Short mmCIF file of all heavy atoms in Angstrom, two decimals:
data_model
loop_
_atom_site.label_atom_id
_atom_site.label_comp_id
_atom_site.label_asym_id
_atom_site.label_seq_id
_atom_site.Cartn_x
_atom_site.Cartn_y
_atom_site.Cartn_z
N GLY F 1 1.26 8.10 6.50
CA GLY F 1 0.30 8.33 5.43
C GLY F 1 0.97 8.35 4.07
O GLY F 1 0.37 7.94 3.06
N PHE F 2 2.22 8.82 4.02
CA PHE F 2 2.93 8.89 2.75
C PHE F 2 3.14 7.50 2.15
O PHE F 2 2.97 7.29 0.96
CB PHE F 2 4.28 9.58 2.94
CG PHE F 2 4.17 11.07 3.12
CD1 PHE F 2 4.94 11.73 4.07
CD2 PHE F 2 3.30 11.82 2.35
CE1 PHE F 2 4.85 13.10 4.25
CE2 PHE F 2 3.19 13.20 2.51
CZ PHE F 2 3.97 13.84 3.46
N PHE F 3 3.53 6.51 2.99
CA PHE F 3 3.72 5.18 2.44
C PHE F 3 2.39 4.58 2.01
O PHE F 3 2.32 3.86 1.00
CB PHE F 3 4.40 4.24 3.44
CG PHE F 3 4.66 2.87 2.86
CD1 PHE F 3 5.70 2.68 1.97
CD2 PHE F 3 3.84 1.80 3.18
CE1 PHE F 3 5.93 1.42 1.39
CE2 PHE F 3 4.05 0.55 2.62
CZ PHE F 3 5.11 0.36 1.72
N THR F 4 1.33 4.87 2.75
CA THR F 4 0.00 4.38 2.37
C THR F 4 -0.40 4.93 1.00
O THR F 4 -0.95 4.21 0.17
CB THR F 4 -1.04 4.77 3.43
OG1 THR F 4 -0.60 4.31 4.72
CG2 THR F 4 -2.39 4.14 3.12
N ILE F 5 -0.10 6.20 0.78
CA ILE F 5 -0.36 6.81 -0.54
C ILE F 5 0.44 6.09 -1.61
O ILE F 5 -0.07 5.76 -2.69
CB ILE F 5 -0.01 8.31 -0.51
CG1 ILE F 5 -0.99 9.08 0.37
CG2 ILE F 5 -0.02 8.89 -1.93
CD1 ILE F 5 -0.60 10.51 0.61
N CYS F 6 1.70 5.84 -1.31
CA CYS F 6 2.58 5.16 -2.26
C CYS F 6 2.03 3.79 -2.63
O CYS F 6 1.99 3.40 -3.81
CB CYS F 6 3.98 5.04 -1.65
SG CYS F 6 5.20 4.31 -2.75
N ALA F 7 1.58 3.03 -1.62
CA ALA F 7 1.03 1.70 -1.86
C ALA F 7 -0.29 1.77 -2.62
O ALA F 7 -0.68 0.80 -3.29
CB ALA F 7 0.82 0.98 -0.53
N THR F 8 -0.97 2.90 -2.54
CA THR F 8 -2.26 3.06 -3.20
C THR F 8 -2.10 3.42 -4.67
O THR F 8 -2.82 2.90 -5.53
CB THR F 8 -3.09 4.15 -2.50
OG1 THR F 8 -3.30 3.76 -1.13
CG2 THR F 8 -4.43 4.37 -3.18
N ILE F 9 -1.15 4.30 -4.98
CA ILE F 9 -1.03 4.81 -6.35
C ILE F 9 -0.11 4.00 -7.23
O ILE F 9 -0.10 4.17 -8.45
CB ILE F 9 -0.59 6.29 -6.36
CG1 ILE F 9 0.85 6.42 -5.82
CG2 ILE F 9 -1.56 7.15 -5.56
CD1 ILE F 9 1.38 7.86 -5.87
N ASN F 10 0.66 3.09 -6.62
CA ASN F 10 1.61 2.31 -7.41
C ASN F 10 1.20 0.84 -7.44
O ASN F 10 1.33 0.13 -6.44
CB ASN F 10 3.02 2.46 -6.82
CG ASN F 10 4.08 1.85 -7.72
OD1 ASN F 10 4.10 0.64 -7.94
ND2 ASN F 10 4.97 2.68 -8.22
N PRO F 11 0.70 0.35 -8.56
CA PRO F 11 0.23 -1.04 -8.65
C PRO F 11 1.33 -2.07 -8.35
O PRO F 11 1.04 -3.13 -7.78
CB PRO F 11 -0.25 -1.16 -10.10
CG PRO F 11 -0.52 0.24 -10.54
CD PRO F 11 0.48 1.09 -9.81
N LYS F 12 2.56 -1.77 -8.73
CA LYS F 12 3.66 -2.71 -8.49
C LYS F 12 3.90 -2.90 -7.00
O LYS F 12 4.05 -4.04 -6.52
CB LYS F 12 4.93 -2.20 -9.16
CG LYS F 12 6.14 -3.09 -8.96
CD LYS F 12 7.38 -2.50 -9.62
CE LYS F 12 8.62 -3.37 -9.34
NZ LYS F 12 9.83 -2.78 -9.95
N ILE F 13 3.93 -1.81 -6.26
CA ILE F 13 4.14 -1.89 -4.82
C ILE F 13 2.94 -2.56 -4.15
O ILE F 13 3.10 -3.37 -3.24
CB ILE F 13 4.40 -0.48 -4.25
CG1 ILE F 13 5.75 0.03 -4.74
CG2 ILE F 13 4.35 -0.50 -2.71
CD1 ILE F 13 6.03 1.47 -4.42
N HIS F 14 1.74 -2.24 -4.62
CA HIS F 14 0.53 -2.88 -4.09
C HIS F 14 0.64 -4.39 -4.23
O HIS F 14 0.32 -5.14 -3.29
CB HIS F 14 -0.69 -2.35 -4.86
CG HIS F 14 -2.01 -2.82 -4.33
ND1 HIS F 14 -2.56 -4.04 -4.69
CD2 HIS F 14 -2.89 -2.26 -3.46
CE1 HIS F 14 -3.71 -4.20 -4.09
NE2 HIS F 14 -3.95 -3.13 -3.34
N ALA F 15 1.11 -4.86 -5.37
CA ALA F 15 1.25 -6.30 -5.61
C ALA F 15 2.36 -6.90 -4.74
O ALA F 15 2.22 -8.01 -4.23
CB ALA F 15 1.52 -6.56 -7.08
N GLN F 16 3.46 -6.17 -4.58
CA GLN F 16 4.57 -6.67 -3.77
C GLN F 16 4.17 -6.85 -2.30
O GLN F 16 4.75 -7.67 -1.59
CB GLN F 16 5.76 -5.70 -3.86
CG GLN F 16 6.50 -5.78 -5.17
CD GLN F 16 7.65 -4.77 -5.22
OE1 GLN F 16 7.42 -3.56 -5.25
NE2 GLN F 16 8.86 -5.27 -5.23
N LEU F 17 3.18 -6.09 -1.88
CA LEU F 17 2.68 -6.22 -0.51
C LEU F 17 1.82 -7.46 -0.33
O LEU F 17 1.41 -7.78 0.80
CB LEU F 17 1.89 -4.96 -0.12
CG LEU F 17 2.72 -3.69 0.05
CD1 LEU F 17 1.79 -2.46 0.09
CD2 LEU F 17 3.57 -3.75 1.31
N GLY F 18 1.54 -8.15 -1.41
CA GLY F 18 0.73 -9.36 -1.32
C GLY F 18 -0.75 -9.09 -1.28
O GLY F 18 -1.54 -9.98 -0.94
N LEU F 19 -1.16 -7.86 -1.61
CA LEU F 19 -2.56 -7.50 -1.56
C LEU F 19 -3.28 -7.93 -2.84
O LEU F 19 -2.71 -7.89 -3.92
CB LEU F 19 -2.72 -5.99 -1.35
CG LEU F 19 -2.08 -5.43 -0.08
CD1 LEU F 19 -2.23 -3.91 -0.05
CD2 LEU F 19 -2.70 -6.06 1.16
N LYS F 20 -4.53 -8.30 -2.68
CA LYS F 20 -5.33 -8.71 -3.82
C LYS F 20 -5.84 -7.48 -4.56
O LYS F 20 -5.88 -6.37 -4.02
CB LYS F 20 -6.51 -9.57 -3.36
CG LYS F 20 -6.11 -10.84 -2.65
CD LYS F 20 -7.33 -11.58 -2.13
CE LYS F 20 -6.95 -12.83 -1.36
NZ LYS F 20 -8.14 -13.53 -0.80
N ALA F 21 -6.23 -7.67 -5.80
CA ALA F 21 -6.81 -6.58 -6.58
C ALA F 21 -8.06 -6.08 -5.87
O ALA F 21 -8.91 -6.87 -5.45
CB ALA F 21 -7.17 -7.08 -7.98
N GLY F 22 -8.16 -4.78 -5.70
CA GLY F 22 -9.30 -4.19 -5.01
C GLY F 22 -9.14 -4.11 -3.50
O GLY F 22 -9.96 -3.48 -2.83
N GLU F 23 -8.09 -4.75 -2.96
CA GLU F 23 -7.84 -4.67 -1.52
C GLU F 23 -7.06 -3.40 -1.22
O GLU F 23 -5.91 -3.25 -1.64
CB GLU F 23 -7.06 -5.90 -1.05
CG GLU F 23 -7.06 -6.10 0.46
CD GLU F 23 -6.47 -7.45 0.86
OE1 GLU F 23 -5.82 -8.11 0.02
OE2 GLU F 23 -6.65 -7.82 2.03
N LYS F 24 -7.66 -2.46 -0.52
CA LYS F 24 -7.11 -1.12 -0.38
C LYS F 24 -6.18 -0.99 0.83
O LYS F 24 -6.51 -1.43 1.93
CB LYS F 24 -8.24 -0.10 -0.26
CG LYS F 24 -9.13 -0.02 -1.50
CD LYS F 24 -10.23 1.01 -1.32
CE LYS F 24 -11.10 1.09 -2.57
NZ LYS F 24 -12.20 2.10 -2.41
N ALA F 25 -5.04 -0.36 0.60
CA ALA F 25 -4.16 0.01 1.71
C ALA F 25 -4.84 1.13 2.49
O ALA F 25 -5.26 2.13 1.91
CB ALA F 25 -2.81 0.46 1.18
N VAL F 26 -4.94 0.98 3.81
CA VAL F 26 -5.66 1.95 4.63
C VAL F 26 -4.71 2.80 5.46
O VAL F 26 -4.81 4.02 5.50
CB VAL F 26 -6.69 1.25 5.54
CG1 VAL F 26 -7.34 2.25 6.48
CG2 VAL F 26 -7.74 0.55 4.70
N THR F 27 -3.78 2.16 6.16
CA THR F 27 -2.86 2.92 7.01
C THR F 27 -1.61 2.10 7.25
O THR F 27 -1.61 0.87 7.11
CB THR F 27 -3.53 3.30 8.35
OG1 THR F 27 -2.71 4.24 9.04
CG2 THR F 27 -3.74 2.08 9.23
N THR F 28 -0.53 2.78 7.62
CA THR F 28 0.75 2.12 7.86
C THR F 28 1.30 2.55 9.21
O THR F 28 1.41 3.75 9.48
CB THR F 28 1.77 2.48 6.76
OG1 THR F 28 1.22 2.18 5.47
CG2 THR F 28 3.07 1.70 6.95
N LEU F 29 1.63 1.57 10.05
CA LEU F 29 2.20 1.84 11.36
C LEU F 29 3.71 1.60 11.32
O LEU F 29 4.16 0.50 11.01
CB LEU F 29 1.56 0.94 12.42
CG LEU F 29 0.05 1.09 12.64
CD1 LEU F 29 -0.43 0.10 13.68
CD2 LEU F 29 -0.29 2.51 13.05
N VAL F 30 4.45 2.64 11.63
CA VAL F 30 5.92 2.56 11.72
C VAL F 30 6.26 2.54 13.21
O VAL F 30 5.89 3.45 13.95
CB VAL F 30 6.56 3.77 11.02
CG1 VAL F 30 8.08 3.74 11.16
CG2 VAL F 30 6.15 3.82 9.55
N MET F 31 6.97 1.51 13.66
CA MET F 31 7.13 1.31 15.10
C MET F 31 8.55 0.92 15.49
O MET F 31 9.26 0.26 14.73
CB MET F 31 6.16 0.21 15.58
CG MET F 31 4.70 0.60 15.45
SD MET F 31 3.55 -0.78 15.78
CE MET F 31 3.62 -1.64 14.20
#
């Protein structure tokens, strides 16, 4: 959940993930 929060609140990281504007990070699976 912490990384999901990070991807949500930081526009730079959101963009680095290849996500479009308005495309919300929901959850992150570490495996």
Side-chain angles (χ1 to χ4, degrees):
F2 286 138
F3 182 76
T4 306
I5 291 171
C6 184
T8 300
I9 67 177
N10 189 295
K12 179 181 177 182
I13 291 171
H14 186 276
Q16 285 178 293
L17 290 166
L19 301 176
K20 299 176 183 178
E23 195 171 14
K24 297 180 180 179
V26 175
T27 191
T28 305
L29 299 178
V30 177
M31 294 172 280

